Amino acid sequence: MDVKKQIADIGIVPVIAIDNADDAVDLAKALIAGGIPAMEITFRTQAGQESIRRVAKECPEVLVGAGTVLTMAQVDEAVKAGAKFIVSPGYFDAVVDRCNEIGIPCFPGCVNASDMTKAVNAGLDIVKFFPAEALGGASMIKQFTSVFPLKFMPTGGITPKTLMDYLSIDRIAACGGTWMVKKDMINNHEWEKITSICKESVKTMLGLSLAHVGINCENAAEAEKTAKTLCALFGFEYKAGNSSDFAGNAVECMKSPYLGKNGHIAIGTNSIDRAVYHLGLEGVEFDESTRKTDAKGNTRAIYLKDEFGGFAIHLMQR
């Protein structure tokens, strides 16, 4: 399992301080139901290690890690309990060295150039940025990305309203947060509320919306005629292309039939890779042969395997 890729695909990592290990599994199930199968359980409470052990054993589909790890001994305790990654609030040489020694991903807190320089020299590629909002938020992270070849996992003060300020930066591996797992919600066993907040957070992160509808035309002449007719009727701007013509941004007229009996529906998203992951949790399958990438290897479009009402559906990067 590629832990770092899984964290990036999930996109949101709940940061949890849990007082009673008996609540850990129910909380994990609430997160699963909400579409966020990840937990950073902190060592700030005495129940941390036992909570990790129970989640790792009873909910193996959850990517569980240990947070607020301060010592080598805590690294070993967390790994023994089943933690798949280690997060520390600051850069501690002993913690990083121990994680590298045993081969477990480590995300130390790095908030200045000195910390980040040490992280690069230790061979790390993802670091924590905490407390994110208090330290300048997304704009500060952007300054660091121009200097350091690192990805960031910001945590601290992030809310659903500011989530996309961070996730819109391509060097953000994921965002950590507590807004869906506040201590009073856990202690009061508000599992349905936690699930609901998680679902809304995933919805915000993915930002799925209709981008355009594609019509399968028989040839280039029919595509041009169809697009221009729609433009004349509705005042759209005509845009000619190599394989299709557009009527505004709403309708794509294919110059030869492509996927879908009638055509296709394009759904825009903030992140195709995250959308593929989260839709996959719902059982959606994708046709990997249709994946299109840019020069940097980033996915720009991919089709679902199934058709709906005679239309193929593809995701496209917004």
Side-chain angles (χ1 to χ4, degrees):
M1 176 178 62
D2 187 335
V3 170
K4 288 182 283 189
K5 183 180 187 309
Q6 191 172 355
I7 286 176
D9 286 343
I10 295 171
I12 300 170
V13 179
V15 179
I16 301 157
I18 193 165
D19 293 322
N20 187 345
D22 289 341
D23 294 332
V25 171
D26 286 336
L27 175 57
K29 291 178 179 178
L31 295 175
I32 293 169
I36 305 181
M39 305 172 77
E40 178 192 324
I41 298 178
T42 71
F43 264 52
R44 293 201 300 264
T45 69
Q46 292 184 345
Q49 183 179 357
E50 177 62 15
S51 296
I52 291 171
R53 188 190 69 78
R54 294 191 187 186
V55 171
K57 180 180 179 180
E58 299 186 40
C59 300
E61 67 270 44
V62 173
L63 182 64
V64 61
T68 322
V69 174
L70 306 177
T71 67
M72 290 177 60
Q74 287 181 332
V75 171
D76 293 339
E77 291 168 3
V79 172
K80 183 178 180 180
K84 298 299 189 294
F85 60 92
I86 301 295
V87 183
S88 57
Y91 192 100
F92 304 115
D93 291 299
V95 169
V96 173
D97 291 345
R98 180 58 176 161
C99 289
N100 282 342
E101 179 184 351
I102 63 178
I104 187 169
C106 177
F107 313 129
C110 295
V111 298
N112 56 50
S114 295
D115 290 342
M116 293 175 198
T117 299
K118 291 174 70 175
V120 171
N121 283 306
L124 304 183
D125 51 10
I126 299 176
V127 297
K128 179 175 181 173
F129 188 75
F130 171 83
E133 284 291 285
L135 292 173
S139 61
M140 181 61 74
I141 291 175
K142 287 180 181 179
Q143 298 296 317
F144 287 123
T145 61
S146 66
V147 179
F148 297 98
L150 294 167
K151 291 186 177 181
F152 294 83
M153 190 160 67
T155 304
I158 299 173
T159 69
K161 290 184 178 180
T162 60
L163 179 63
M164 288 312 301
D165 292 342
Y166 292 92
L167 290 179
S168 61
I169 303 171
D170 61 3
R171 294 272 206 90
I172 298 295
C175 282
T178 61
W179 69 86
M180 77 297 285
V181 286
K182 293 186 180 298
K183 185 170 287 191
D184 60 341
M185 288 191 283
I186 297 172
N187 292 339
N188 294 330
H189 297 172
E190 297 179 84
W191 310 131
E192 291 184 3
K193 181 177 181 180
I194 290 171
T195 292
S196 177
I197 296 173
C198 287
K199 287 182 177 180
E200 284 300 312
S201 298
V202 171
K203 182 178 179 180
T204 296
M205 174 177 64
L206 299 183
L208 298 168
S209 64
L210 177 65
H212 65 261
V213 175
I215 300 173
N216 281 341
C217 298
E218 290 298 324
N219 50 52
E222 183 184 343
E224 180 181 359
K225 178 181 178 181
T226 302
K228 287 185 174 179
T229 298
L230 291 171
C231 290
L233 285 172
F234 302 112
F236 296 152
E237 178 185 358
Y238 173 73
K239 302 174 184 177
N242 293 328
S243 59
S244 63
D245 295 335
F246 269 88
N249 294 320
V251 183
E252 180 181 17
C253 301
M254 306 300 295
K255 293 184 178 181
S256 61
Y258 192 50
L259 298 180
K261 176 183 177 183
N262 301 318
H264 66 268
I265 298 171
I267 303 296
T269 179
N270 296 325
S271 170
I272 288 183
D273 289 331
R274 290 186 179 121
V276 167
Y277 175 85
H278 284 277
L279 290 172
L281 294 179
E282 303 296 325
V284 177
E285 295 184 298
F286 291 85
D287 183 351
E288 284 296 329
S289 69
T290 66
R291 186 184 290 269
K292 296 181 180 179
T293 58
D294 61 20
K296 295 182 179 180
N298 299 314
T299 304
R300 307 304 300 177
I302 189 170
Y303 276 82
L304 279 66
K305 283 188 176 181
D306 293 332
E307 291 187 13
F308 300 82
F311 285 85
I313 292 182
H314 76 77
L315 301 178
M316 62 176 289
Q317 186 68 38
R318 183 175 292 110

